[in-house]
Amino acid sequence: MNIVYRRPESLKKKTMHYCPGCGHSIIHKLIASVIDELQIREDTIIVSPVGCSVLIYDYFECDGTESAHGRAQAVSTGLKRVQPDKLVICYQGDGDLAAIGTSETIHSANRGENFTVIFVNNAIYGMTGGQMAPTTLIGQKTQTSPFGRDPVLAGYPLKMCELLNQLKAPAYIERVSVHDVKNTIKTQKAIKKGLSYQMNGMGYSFIEVLSMCPTNWGTAPVQAAQWVKEHLASYYPLGVFRDNGASEEYK
Amino acid sequence: MGERILMRGNEALCEGAIIAGCKYYFGYPITPQNEIPAYMANRLPEVGGVFLQAESEIASINMIWGAGCAGKRAMTSSSSPGISLMQEGISYLAGAELPAVIVNMVRGGPGLGNIAPAQSDYFQSTRGGGHGDYYVIVLAPATVEELTHMMVDAFDLADIYRTPVIVLGDGVLGQMTEPLVLPEPSTRVIPEKDYILDGAKNRKPRTIKSLRLAPQQALEDHNMELKKKYEEIMKKEVRYEGYMIDDAEIIVVSFGTSSRVCKSSIQMVRENGIKVGMIRPVTLWPFPSEIISDLAKNTGVRAFLDVEMNYGQMIEDVKLSVNGEKEVHFYGRTGGMLPDENELYNKIMEVVNEYCIQET
Ligand SMILES: Cc1ncc(C[n+]2csc(CCOP(=O)(O)OP(=O)(O)O)c2C)c(N)n1
């Protein structure tokens, strides 16, 4: 028999708590596949955020730790600085990374900390029930922007890749999406690149993943994926912003 | 015994930490403790460690969490406003039972206050400080030498009980230069760290967390385990100094820098032939309640005088321990002011007169 698809070994045989159509479970699976592929399960520590994915450590056959809301990159810094030979995956939502934890994000990136950040941008606060996120689009209705996000009141959606791309230190910055199969495969490749760079000691890698939150967007899963394609990805252009591994000096 | 040397408090404590095996420091500058990060920045690379200036105290304490997950001895330090910022992190550390050593060189508050020495973070330190049901061990040195040796004790206690430990000094202790002999490395047995996150190689994956959602009682069960641990600490780890208490009729209670002033004033009062002594809590939590209760029940003891560099925080613990057996008086200065030995002498004499204590 030719096996074309199987559950990654790094993923526990456990039903995830995510809502139907949520992007977190897809992204977890991609990470687990990469961990398998690179054979790094026994060296990897996963840092979970506070957000819907707070329980990420329950789904991986890897060591994992919680972090306070927004502090995942400070925790990752501590972990990595004291055991530089281990691999640290820092997983965060947009509230965690781009609102309460913006300072930790910018400074970890600016120090070029040698870990891999997976930034799940679903344009909303999922866990707390659908409030406006720093990444919520203009006009997007949420619990706390009931008339649609108004930039006069709430400013503009924060583009983290573009922001971090102003810094000298990061090794790799890419924005990907999991709204369809083609982009999901690209996302897995990006995660693999980020982790490979970490293994090579190249420094900070930042992978922003546009993702669906049907429950809090008030849409069906299929429409949610469509919304990512049509709206989220048009405000947040997909692509590579920085890739030191592809540049001459690293070859 | 080691050689006697002269060192400034903030620098000497770093040597104490390094002797304790601390190789990692994460912190953010704030007066009056800036000598600590400056010293560590120079010294840690020499011992193969890492010094990192964090972007904030919030980041520092969460870096400490990361280092703690890896089972490494790491420390941070700050002064009052910075310690306030760390409180969420300290609560998480307590909940997840991660060891950490945090030095607080207390300055005058509230708010930005001033940079003068104070003891006004007593409540914050001894009542957990952050949200939730927990305590942290609080050590209060009175001399540079004690501060330095205490660092070894602090790291041991943090590891033995898997808890944050706060070393509570103040601007005077941090800035003062005093003679000392450096501590010896500890010989205490530290339990094996079976929680470390270093990759799930040939073992089941491990998780470090403070979140306890299910079953419904999971958090209560965990908190009851924490409570048991705290009770053990209260039983085993109380430290205090009794100063001239054997025949004392008036008992002064004071810690840290203010206790040094008390010693001078007590000596002045003793010269009048009046029997005054002092209990100096060395652990502020666990608080030395038992000795204070015993003294309160002792018929020879007439009254207590609580002395602090704030307007009365530890006095609550003293009163709880005295439990109404005797009157507890208070003398203190706040806002970064130091108690004056003559003023304190007068205060002690006032209490002496109130109880018609005669010289013998
Ligand atoms: C200090 C603190 N503030 C607020 C919260 C409440 N909180 C929990 S998760 C969250 C937002 C999560 O949103 P996001 O990071 O976008 O992740 P998602 O749930 O959408 O995956 C908030 C505000 C908290 N736990 N701690």
Side-chain angles (χ1 to χ4, degrees):
Chain A
M1 200 171 60
N2 185 18
I3 298 172
V4 291
Y5 182 86
R6 67 145 68 101
R7 168 188 288 273
E9 277 174 18
S10 303
L11 211 56
K12 280 195 180 124
K13 289 202 178 71
K14 202 166 178 179
T15 310
M16 292 187 190
H17 70 283
Y18 298 112
C19 306
C22 169
H24 280 306
S25 45
I26 303 170
I27 301 162
H28 286 15
K29 207 216 77 179
L30 298 178
I31 295 172
S33 303
V34 173
I35 291 174
D36 281 7
E37 206 181 325
L38 297 173
Q39 300 185 334
I40 52 172
R41 188 190 66 81
E42 295 179 337
D43 291 313
T44 297
I45 300 148
I46 296 176
V47 178
S48 82
V50 174
C52 284
S53 50
V54 62
L55 297 175
I56 185 170
Y57 45 65
D58 278 352
Y59 302 130
F60 281 77
E61 294 284 359
C62 297
D63 279 359
T65 174
E66 163 193 286
S67 59
H69 192 29
R71 315 303 163 209
Q73 296 191 44
V75 167
S76 300
T77 298
L79 262 170
K80 189 73 186 188
R81 289 287 182 131
V82 308
Q83 31 183 31
D85 54 328
K86 304 295 169 195
L87 295 164
V88 175
I89 299 175
C90 182
Y91 190 101
Q92 296 179 269
D94 41 46
D96 200 80
L97 179 140
I100 195 167
T102 320
S103 168
E104 283 78 0
T105 303
I106 289 176
H107 289 281
S108 299
N110 194 44
R111 291 190 302 261
E113 295 292 342
N114 189 31
F115 53 73
T116 307
V117 179
I118 312 290
F119 167 41
V120 180
N121 178 358
N122 58 10
I124 204 155
Y125 283 16
M127 191 190 211
T128 38
Q131 296 82 8
M132 185 183 69
T135 49
T136 292
L137 295 183
I138 298 299
Q140 188 184 336
K141 286 184 180 167
T142 69
Q143 240 182 38
T144 50
S145 56
F147 314 110
R149 181 177 187 159
D150 173 0
V152 175
L153 253 169
Y156 294 87
L158 205 49
K159 295 180 169 175
M160 286 310 293
C161 286
E162 287 82 343
L163 199 101
L164 295 181
N165 200 26
Q166 303 307 308
L167 306 175
K168 177 94 177 81
Y172 173 48
I173 302 171
E174 182 168 359
R175 184 182 288 123
V176 289
S177 174
V178 290
H179 69 272
D180 64 17
V181 175
K182 189 178 118 216
N183 281 288
T184 301
I185 292 168
K186 269 195 181 167
T187 301
Q188 182 166 339
K189 283 191 179 137
I191 295 169
K192 186 175 169 191
K193 190 184 273 186
L195 275 165
S196 310
Y197 284 10
Q198 185 181 162
M199 290 164 81
N200 293 333
M202 286 170 59
Y204 191 81
S205 46
F206 185 85
I207 298 143
E208 174 172 344
V209 188
L210 303 185
S211 179
M212 296 74 71
C213 182
T215 301
N216 288 299
W217 294 350
T219 56
V222 177
Q223 279 73 43
Q226 192 65 21
W227 194 80
V228 172
K229 185 180 169 193
E230 283 168 16
H231 299 279
L232 219 47
S234 74
Y235 183 85
Y236 296 109
L238 303 181
V240 177
F241 292 82
R242 170 89 54 94
D243 187 352
N244 283 352
S247 76
E248 280 312 309
E249 79 185 275
Y250 279 92
K251 275 186 178 154
Chain B
M1 231 189 34
E3 183 194 351
R4 227 170 142 69
I5 53 172
L6 261 182
M7 269 188 106
R8 185 195 278 238
N10 280 336
E11 296 176 345
L13 78 87
C14 296
E15 282 304 326
I18 290 165
I19 290 168
C22 168
K23 283 195 176 164
Y24 304 97
Y25 176 95
F26 305 95
Y28 187 84
I30 184 170
T31 308
Q33 61 84 57
N34 289 322
E35 296 80 9
I36 302 175
Y39 193 86
M40 286 303 212
N42 273 299
R43 195 67 177 91
L44 285 178
E46 288 176 7
V47 297
V50 176
F51 165 88
L52 185 65
Q53 181 168 325
E55 58 270 32
S56 69
E57 292 84 353
I58 299 178
S60 317
I61 195 71
N62 289 288
M63 290 172 183
I64 291 286
W65 169 292
C69 286
K72 310 286 185 187
R73 285 191 162 181
M75 68 171 277
T76 184
S77 63
S78 187
S79 180
S80 312
I83 299 290
S84 293
L85 276 183
M86 290 184 192
Q87 291 302 339
E88 184 200 31
I90 296 173
S91 161
Y92 271 67
L93 289 162
E97 296 192 86
L98 279 176
V101 172
I102 302 143
V103 174
N104 181 1
M105 288 299 172
V106 182
R107 58 188 253 177
L112 199 49
N114 61 24
I115 57 169
Q119 296 180 328
S120 39
D121 296 355
Y122 181 92
F123 279 151
Q124 184 195 52
S125 320
T126 58
R127 268 62 182 168
H131 61 285
D133 252 347
Y134 74 96
Y135 291 97
V136 296
I137 296 175
V138 186
L139 306 175
T143 66
V144 171
E145 182 167 66
E146 188 181 28
L147 165 63
T148 309
H149 288 234
M150 210 170 245
M151 294 306 291
V152 178
D153 198 18
F155 278 100
D156 281 352
L157 291 170
D159 273 340
I160 292 168
Y161 296 103
R162 291 183 56 178
T163 176
V165 175
I166 291 183
V167 176
L168 197 79
D170 60 54
V172 169
L173 272 169
Q175 305 293 330
M176 184 166 56
T177 298
E178 278 191 318
L180 65 119
V181 175
L182 287 173
E184 293 294 320
S186 163
T187 51
R188 282 179 87 165
V189 180
I190 305 300
E192 203 207 327
K193 298 185 178 182
D194 56 2
Y195 56 88
I196 294 175
L197 308 184
D198 55 357
K201 191 171 267 170
N202 304 321
R203 62 162 170 79
K204 284 211 154 87
R206 293 172 180 155
T207 303
I208 292 178
K209 59 180 181 180
S210 65
L211 180 69
R212 286 177 175 81
L213 290 175
Q216 201 189 352
Q217 274 191 26
L219 185 56
E220 183 176 58
D221 291 347
H222 174 70
N223 286 355
M224 293 313 284
E225 285 302 314
L226 288 183
K227 182 166 180 277
K228 253 192 245 163
K229 174 168 89 176
Y230 297 143
E231 280 163 0
E232 188 188 341
I233 296 172
M234 285 158 78
K235 215 157 73 200
K236 290 189 186 160
E237 305 296 350
V238 169
R239 301 173 186 15
Y240 66 89
E241 179 197 1
Y243 178 72
M244 298 186 169
I245 51 171
D246 290 345
D247 60 349
E249 293 179 81
I250 304 284
I251 302 283
V252 173
V253 187
S254 186
F255 70 95
T257 294
S258 57
S259 72
R260 296 170 66 120
V261 181
C262 292
K263 280 192 181 172
S264 308
S265 306
I266 287 169
Q267 277 160 17
M268 289 159 68
V269 176
R270 281 262 171 188
E271 273 165 28
N272 299 343
I274 289 164
K275 292 164 185 156
V276 189
M278 175 171 69
I279 293 292
R280 175 175 73 89
V282 172
T283 50
L284 301 184
W285 194 92
F287 190 72
S289 304
E290 209 176 296
I291 177 70
I292 294 176
S293 296
D294 289 350
L295 287 166
K297 286 183 204 129
N298 181 334
T299 46
V301 172
R302 310 289 293 275
F304 288 79
L305 174 62
D306 174 88
V307 179
E308 300 178 63
M309 280 146 60
N310 58 51
Y311 53 51
Q313 299 191 11
M314 180 175 72
I315 192 170
E316 294 193 359
D317 287 330
V318 175
K319 282 185 172 171
L320 281 169
S321 311
V322 169
N323 200 18
E325 297 277 351
K326 302 281 152 65
E327 203 67 39
V328 183
H329 301 262
F330 178 72
Y331 171 77
R333 297 294 300 271
T334 174
M337 299 300 288
L338 284 172
D340 175 85
E341 61 181 23
N342 295 312
E343 230 176 88
L344 178 55
Y345 166 86
N346 290 337
K347 178 71 195 184
I348 299 174
M349 289 310 291
E350 209 182 289
V351 177
V352 164
N353 292 333
E354 192 178 327
Y355 294 89
C356 307
I357 296 169
Q358 306 292 317
E359 68 179 81
T360 46

